[in-house]
């Protein structure tokens, strides 16, 4: 098999450990056997959904779909009814792959189900699919409307993992630990396909815990991936418990992404463990585009320079390219290169809006230092809320709130939260005299959408401030002392 394979390790498997979830693990040789057998069962499918619980079966299902060349749609098992209906309709998978003993929710029951069998017998590996063919469809929130399916080709996954391997000297000798979900780029592309492409091992925690991280880094794990909320919790734990600090101190690299790691948490971790957390920046559509290098300077608050294969520029509001490297001039990040997606599924309009002349508009604004390191300042629009590493579209929650009969008008914003980075805040105008309680509204949103999208705070107003065009002026939202907050 040539070097063009996405997962070369499956074509020349060894008895080295590939993926471990607690007591359950597979070697590369075992992974090849089960994935080749499952891939044969997928050969007629046009697209498959994967019920992406944090389990070994999910990793096997993803690898099998990749081996078969069938685009895989990982599904967050905590999605609400509205999101499940949307994904099932939009992605229209022929099959859903799941671990055995799972009860699928109603919106997915009409799909043909295939349970992942870890005891399957050997079969030949299908031929390597075209590098330009779609590999994954990952749903991500925009500012308005339901999440969009980001279609990622095989070459983007391969190019990104290889560039990160170069940046972090990441090799088959590394054992990665994380407790990230398996339906987003961070946990899935970097966290599962990364080690598998490079021939190293993944120890997945099932769900994130400080104790799990400390246990693994105190053992054979060499690298940790996490979102800032996780590092915030690790920083506090390392201050309380010298054993946690010692375990973190042993890591080769601690890597943070998906949201901004605060300078304060960077310093807290450095003070107790001696480790300077490495940040990297990216998006579902572009994969990871910037990273602090393992051997380079680690300035807190920066996400490093662009990866070697990524073209990156800062532009002003008129689209003029900014050449400044003064850590001060602010521009929107645009990226180009082999790590980019193919487009949004069924949304040529949204794809055309996001792309121009081969450049992807990220919507993130940043400055650049003399050393080429980027510092993220925020987003061009405030309608994306960054909570615990998840991106939450304000428009989606506003629509859900308006579906409640007791709500006449609604706006959603984010406000700072020490643990999650930002928390969801709803501003509502009641339809009648007795406004629905905050808990009722949170439950209502949590039923339609994933639980992490529920408003944590609800402000009741007489009317929302709007401009002449009827657009809500979110910067002017203020609590109404007569109506209050819940
Ligand atoms: C969980 N909850 C959240 C939340 N996560 N609420 C708001 N925002 C979040 N992010 C709620 C649950 O609904 C639940 O509510 C309660 O918190 C406890 O649930 P839990 O699962 O025990 O939560 P916890 O362990 O606290 O989760 C925090 C977390 C998690 C940081 C471990 O949010 C997480 O795994 N985040 C990772 C997100 C991620 O992978 N992003 C990558 C996107 S890819 P209740 O009321 O029911 O108790 C990307 C590209 C890139 O962005 O650059 O990487
Ligand atoms: P998603 O589209 O869900 O993949 O989320 C991508 C968004 O996460 C980016 O547009 C950024 O706003 C944010 N993000 C990712 N990494 C970082 C980081 N290291 N620092 C700040 N924001 C980040």
């Amino acid at each position: 098999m040539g070097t063009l394979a996405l997962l070369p390790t499956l074509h020349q498997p060894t008895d080295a450990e590939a993926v471990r979830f607690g007591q359950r693990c597979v070697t590369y040789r075992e992974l090849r056997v089960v994935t080749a057998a499952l891939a044969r069962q997928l050969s007629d499918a046009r697209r498959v959904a994967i019920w992406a619980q944090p389990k070994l079966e999910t990793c096997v299902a993803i690898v099998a779909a990749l081996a078969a060349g069938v685009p895989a749609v990982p599904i967050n098992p905590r999605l609400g009814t509205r999101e499940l209906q949307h994904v099932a309709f939009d992605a229209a998978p022929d099959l859903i792959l799941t671990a055995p003993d799972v009860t699928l929710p109603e919106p997915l029951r009409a799909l043909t189900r295939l349970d992942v069998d870890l005891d399957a017998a050997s079969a030949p590996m299908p031929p390597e699919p075209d590098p330009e063919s779609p590999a994954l469809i990952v749903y991500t929130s925009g500012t308005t409307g339901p999440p969009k399916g980001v279609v990622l080709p095989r070459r983007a996954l391969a190019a990104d993992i290889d560039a990160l391997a170069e940046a972090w000297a990441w090799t088959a000798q590394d054992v990665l630990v994380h407790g990230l979900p398996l339906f987003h780029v961070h946990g899935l592309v970097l966290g599962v396909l990364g080690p598998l492409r490079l021939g190293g091992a993944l120890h997945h925690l099932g769900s994130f815990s400080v104790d799990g991280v400390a246990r693994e880094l105190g053992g054979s794990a060499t690298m940790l991936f996490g979102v800032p909320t996780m590092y915030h919790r690790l920083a506090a734990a390392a201050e309380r418990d010298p054993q946690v600090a010692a375990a973190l101190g042993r890591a080769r690299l601690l890597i943070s992404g998906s949201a901004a790691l605060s300078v304060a948490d960077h310093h807290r971790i450095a003070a107790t463990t001696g480790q300077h957390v490495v940040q990297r920046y990216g998006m579902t559509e572009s994969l990871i585009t910037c990273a602090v290098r393992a051997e380079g300077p680690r300035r807190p608050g920066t996400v490093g320079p662009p990866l070697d294969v990524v073209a990156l520029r800062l532009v002003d509001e008129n689209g003029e390219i900014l050449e400044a490297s003064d850590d001060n001039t602010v521009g929107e990040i645009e990226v180009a290169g082999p790590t980019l997606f193919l487009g949004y599924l069924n949304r040529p309009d949204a794809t055309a809006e996001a792309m121009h002349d081969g450049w992807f508009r990220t919507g993130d604004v940043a400055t650049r230092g003399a050393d080429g390191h980027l510092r993220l300042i925020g987003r061009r629009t405030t309608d994306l809320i960054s909570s615990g590493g998840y991106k939450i579209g304000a428009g989606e929650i506003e629509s859900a709130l308006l579906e409640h009969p007791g709500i006449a008008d609604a706006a959603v914003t984010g406000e700072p939260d020490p643990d999650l980075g930002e928390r969801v805040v709803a501003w509502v105008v009641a339809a009648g005299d007795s406004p629905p309680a905050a808990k009722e509204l949170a439950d209502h949103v949590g039923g339609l959408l994933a639980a992490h999208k529920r408003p944590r705070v609800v402000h009741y107003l007489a009317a929302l401030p709007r401009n002449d065009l009827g657009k809500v002026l979110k910067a002017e939202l203020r609590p109404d002392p007569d109506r209050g907050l819940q």
Side-chain angles (χ1 to χ4, degrees), residues 177 205 208-219 221 224 230-251 254 268-275 277:
V177 56
L205 298 172
F208 171 80
S209 71
V210 166
D211 290 348
V213 168
R215 186 187 63 240
E216 292 295 337
L217 289 178
L224 171 68
M230 297 171 180
Y231 283 103
H232 184 70
R233 295 178 188 178
L234 286 166
E239 284 166 355
R240 279 194 310 267
D241 182 346
Q243 273 180 322
V244 172
L248 290 172
R250 289 187 51 185
L254 304 178
R268 287 171 77 194
I269 292 171
T272 47
T273 72
Q275 293 272 3
V277 176

Side-chain angles (χ1 to χ4, degrees), residues 237-307:
E239 284 166 355
R240 279 194 310 267
D241 182 346
Q243 273 180 322
V244 172
L248 290 172
R250 289 187 51 185
R252 188 174 75 76
L253 280 179
L254 304 178
I255 297 167
S256 174
S258 306
L261 179 74
S262 73
V263 171
D265 283 339
H266 180 111
H267 286 309
R268 287 171 77 194
I269 292 171
T272 47
T273 72
Q275 293 272 3
H276 289 268
V277 176
V278 160
Q279 280 210 84
R280 95 299 180 280
Y281 155 78
M283 282 183 83
T284 307
E285 292 89 335
S286 64
L287 299 181
I288 305 314
T289 50
C290 292
V292 171
R293 308 300 200 257
E295 298 305 330
R298 300 188 188 174
R299 280 201 289 143
T302 72
V303 297
L307 295 177

